Amino acid sequence: MKPLFKHTVSLACMVVAFSHSLVFAQDIINSHKEKVTLDANANPASNFDLTDWSISLPIDSNKDGVADNVPENYLASGLTIKPLFYTADDGGMVFLAPIDGPKTSKNTKYTRTELREMLRKGNARIKTKGITQNNWVFSSAKRKIKKKAGGVDGTLDATLAVNHVTTTGDAKQIGRVIVGQIHATNDEPVRLYYRKLPNNTHGAIYMAHEPLTGDEQWYDLIGSRASNAKNPEDGIKLDEVFSYRIHVEGHLLRVTIMRAGKEDVVQEVDMTNSGYDKSNQYMYFKAGVYNQNNTGDNTDYVQATFYQLENKHNKR
């Protein structure tokens, strides 16, 4: 792992002046309505169970032209790479992704500092891709497929605050970031977005569902995803803590946004005709920041701090 730290230095110097972390005076409450207690002096893996996650970082230490991926064993051993991934002054787990940086593949347009669910927990004998014990499937899949997978259906709970979004670049891209996903073999059953426009004080939450065939389906949960949207007065400010839950049971996808003192916002999607019960479709959660702007200033960035991250699945 030493080369990874070495090649991070130039990127860190470029963006460290812009990144920030916060100390919240009020209690932080997670999706279970429990008070969050984190150690500001500990590395992320000491505050969060990261044994079944790997992380993609917008750096290229081996010069292969794609972003580095840090396997679950290295991540769980205490990885910290400031300002991309580190513990904030309030104990939260910080993710930062600048506009300029290596991408995860030649077909990807945007940078990310993002966790990828790895149910194998470091067992390299289990293949990363495919219907293996590293990934999960929907309970609508065939029985023989479910028996091969690492889990069936799933729930991802997260509590976070988006600290910064991009303010430069194309109007269609400014201010948007993906903070949670379900990724399938090639497509995404759900992508959860936060977006705040420069002239607005509050941000919007929206999501996309991508069937295997046909057009993507878009859902506004709080405010509007439009590039000319008015300020959503019931929206979420930068640095405001909120929770989300992504839950799948068979053909039913349910996304819930939770905020202290406000009613939950729930969006359900019927995936009966989306194609994810096919025998080649496997799933994994993703969480962190996936920057959705590649047109702004090189030093512009997105950042979020997570205070809860829990993934669970039914047994095969």
Side-chain angles (χ1 to χ4, degrees):
M1 294 304 297
K2 290 183 179 179
L4 186 61
F5 287 93
K6 178 180 179 181
H7 289 277
T8 308
V9 174
S10 60
L11 179 60
C13 292
M14 181 181 73
V15 298
V16 70
F18 300 94
S19 64
H20 67 281
S21 58
L22 300 172
V23 178
F24 287 86
Q26 74 274 23
D27 290 341
I28 296 175
I29 306 300
N30 67 17
S31 64
H32 306 304
K33 302 187 184 306
E34 302 166 337
K35 180 180 177 181
V36 174
T37 302
L38 300 170
D39 184 354
N41 298 311
N43 58 59
S46 296
N47 280 322
F48 300 85
D49 182 2
L50 301 179
T51 56
D52 56 355
W53 299 91
S54 64
I55 188 168
S56 296
L57 297 167
I59 54 178
D60 182 12
S61 61
N62 61 358
K63 304 301 181 183
D64 64 352
V66 297
D68 287 344
N69 185 75
V70 181
E72 52 271 32
N73 285 344
Y74 288 101
L75 178 61
S77 68
L79 179 75
T80 298
I81 301 182
K82 199 170 184 177
L84 300 175
F85 179 72
Y86 64 98
T87 298
D89 293 340
D90 59 5
M93 178 168 52
V94 179
F95 298 82
L96 182 148
I99 285 178
D100 186 35
K103 318 301 190 295
T104 54
S105 73
K106 299 184 185 302
N107 297 322
T108 302
K109 299 178 180 178
Y110 309 106
T111 65
R112 70 183 86 200
T113 298
E114 189 179 40
L115 297 171
R116 193 272 200 206
E117 190 178 31
M118 301 282 282
L119 298 181
R120 69 179 190 175
K121 293 189 174 184
N123 184 353
R125 293 175 296 178
I126 298 174
K127 292 183 179 180
T128 301
K129 299 180 180 181
I131 310 295
T132 73
Q133 294 178 39
N134 190 55
N135 305 308
W136 53 281
V137 298
F138 297 161
S139 57
S140 53
K142 294 181 179 179
R143 182 179 179 183
K144 65 178 182 180
I145 299 300
K146 290 186 284 188
K147 292 179 66 175
K148 292 180 180 179
V152 175
D153 293 334
T155 304
L156 177 65
D157 279 76
T159 299
L160 69 150
V162 177
N163 311 122
H164 190 276
V165 292
T166 57
T167 58
T168 61
D170 189 296
K172 294 181 179 180
Q173 296 187 355
I174 285 177
R176 60 181 191 173
V177 57
I178 294 174
V179 294
Q181 299 185 65
I182 297 176
H183 202 293
T185 305
N186 294 308
D187 305 287
E188 295 96 23
V190 64
R191 301 189 304 274
L192 184 64
Y193 293 74
Y194 174 90
R195 187 178 195 189
K196 193 193 83 68
L197 301 179
N199 293 327
N200 291 344
T201 59
H202 293 70
I205 298 283
Y206 59 97
M207 57 179 272
H209 171 65
E210 185 178 20
L212 296 191
T213 59
D215 296 333
E216 287 187 323
Q217 302 168 14
W218 294 89
Y219 302 88
D220 288 339
L221 280 67
I222 299 173
S224 169
R225 68 185 179 94
S227 299
N228 60 350
K230 295 181 180 180
N231 186 56
E233 295 183 359
D234 193 41
I236 298 175
K237 294 182 178 181
L238 292 177
D239 299 324
E240 180 180 344
V241 176
F242 67 96
S243 297
Y244 69 73
R245 175 175 296 140
I246 298 174
H247 176 74
V248 170
E249 188 171 351
H251 289 301
L252 180 63
L253 166 67
R254 181 185 296 113
V255 176
T256 306
I257 305 299
M258 294 158 273
R259 294 176 288 174
K262 297 185 178 182
E263 292 187 3
D264 293 351
V265 178
V266 181
Q267 178 65 58
E268 293 186 345
V269 179
D270 182 353
M271 300 188 294
T272 302
N273 298 316
S274 296
Y276 290 111
D277 51 2
K278 292 186 177 181
S279 297
N280 66 338
Q281 293 299 312
Y282 59 91
M283 313 293 155
Y284 50 92
F285 285 124
K286 305 193 81 175
V289 290
Y290 185 12
N291 198 338
Q292 295 295 287
N293 186 344
N294 61 3
T295 61
D297 297 342
N298 288 347
T299 54
D300 209 351
Y301 67 99
V302 294
Q303 179 183 311
T305 304
F306 279 64
Y307 300 95
Q308 174 198 17
L309 186 69
E310 300 175 7
N311 57 317
K312 63 181 180 180
H313 305 279
N314 296 328
K315 294 182 179 180
R316 294 171 289 159

